[in-house]
Amino acid sequence: MMKSFIKLMWFPLLLATLVPAIWHQQPYILSMFTDALTIGALALAWAMLGNLGGMVSFGHSAFFGTGAYISSMLAMNSGMPVLLSMLCGGLAAALTTLLMLPTLRLKGTYFALAILAYSQIFRVLAMQLEGITGGSAGLSGIPTLPVVMGFALNSKLGVYYVILALLTLFLLIYTVLARSDYGLALKAMHDSEAATQVVGVNSLLLKALVLLLSAFMTGLVGAFNAHHMNFLEPDYAFNASWVIVPIIAAIFGGFRSLNGPLVGALVVYLTDQLLFKVLFPTGNLMILGGLLVAIILISPRGLLPLLHSAQRRFYRAKA
């Protein structure tokens, strides 16, 4: 049990100690890590849906934007404490999956495109409901994260620890889910949906539950981001980049492994922001795309499985 826990938590614990110890006096670098962990948390939520549920989503920005808007409006209009409003934002994002239940009967590309349409509908709604959301002008002055026991969660170090805590929570949820009977049923359904239906498994219910959980996680990250940025507008909240970049990160790191999306987010985002953007300001995305193609050709399962394979070969050669 302890061995499994250490195997799962070693990377988040490393990030919790190493990054602040080295870069605590460099706010820009800390901000880069905070943004990378935000992408990592979104990548993990997306990968859980794809790996366990076998569903590819191009519309997770719908959950991100919903969580961001609901949390912001609750904190601004009702005076609700920010941490509680973030939780409500995540729950609201989860509830939106009820509107998407008809799409669960679709498969593959059809499901991906249908859920993408929902994200565009939500973006248009946020622009049209001007009296509530501020319309295209958006919301400004969104309350920041609070001070808890004398520690400012809205400081550079504070927001880093908050998103790291959320990501660690997501890892635990993912692990518990994957090892439960529910997770086993999902994997069986992924291998053969028809076979699981024959033995009485309700595949639609399983898909709905994993979509709901993935939406909750994504909405929670959206709420965190809104209170971190203190500003929100529809084109930002429902932007396709909240889907595309996490997908690239998850595939690059290895979306079928637990830490793969996190490793992918750190490598992809930090390399792009701190190296490619500096060296090639106008062509950095092309290089990023080339890097993704290269890793897919070399190791279709992603970077982390490639490193594990190389490590095993090294120890066998050494023995």
Side-chain angles (χ1 to χ4, degrees), residues 183-205:
L184 291 174
L186 278 168
K187 290 175 185 174
M189 182 193 73
H190 192 184
D191 293 336
S192 176
E193 185 171 344
T196 51
Q197 287 176 338
V198 169
V199 296
V201 173
N202 189 332
S203 60
L204 284 180
L205 180 62

Side-chain angles (χ1 to χ4, degrees), residues 31-47 64 163 167 170 218 221 224-225 236 240-250 260-270 273 288:
S31 294
M32 289 293 102
F33 271 99
T34 298
D35 293 342
L37 292 182
T38 302
I39 297 298
L42 294 173
L44 192 64
W46 181 87
F64 183 94
I163 189 62
L167 200 149
F170 292 174
T218 306
V221 178
F224 158 79
N225 186 264
Y236 174 81
S241 63
W242 295 120
V243 185
I244 295 171
V245 180
I247 289 176
I248 292 174
L262 173 56
V263 172
L266 288 168
V267 173
V268 168
Y269 188 80
L270 294 180
Q273 294 295 315
L288 199 63

Side-chain angles (χ1 to χ4, degrees), residues 223-283:
F224 158 79
N225 186 264
H227 293 288
H228 171 41
M229 301 302 292
N230 312 125
F231 174 78
L232 199 60
E233 51 98 9
D235 286 339
Y236 174 81
F238 297 97
N239 196 290
S241 63
W242 295 120
V243 185
I244 295 171
V245 180
I247 289 176
I248 292 174
I251 293 174
F252 186 91
F255 79 98
R256 293 195 183 282
S257 58
L258 281 171
N259 279 320
L262 173 56
V263 172
L266 288 168
V267 173
V268 168
Y269 188 80
L270 294 180
T271 305
D272 181 52
Q273 294 295 315
L274 299 176
L275 182 62
F276 294 160
K277 248 185 176 178
V278 176
L279 296 176
F280 311 100
T282 57

Side-chain angles (χ1 to χ4, degrees), residues 77-157:
N77 301 329
S78 71
M80 182 180 287
V82 169
L83 296 181
L84 182 58
S85 70
M86 284 173 57
L87 179 62
C88 292
L91 292 173
L95 287 176
T96 60
T97 60
L98 296 177
L99 301 173
M100 302 176 183
L101 290 181
T103 66
L104 294 178
R105 294 187 180 279
L106 303 174
K107 296 181 186 299
T109 309
Y110 298 105
F111 171 79
L113 293 177
I115 203 167
L116 173 64
Y118 274 98
S119 70
Q120 294 306 308
I121 292 170
F122 288 3
R123 185 182 67 80
V124 172
L125 279 175
M127 295 187 76
Q128 295 298 321
L129 298 174
E130 193 171 342
I132 303 173
T133 63
S136 57
L139 302 173
S140 58
I142 297 171
T144 61
L145 293 164
V147 176
V148 176
M149 299 177 70
F151 182 67
L153 296 181
N154 59 354
S155 64
K156 294 292 181 186
L157 189 59

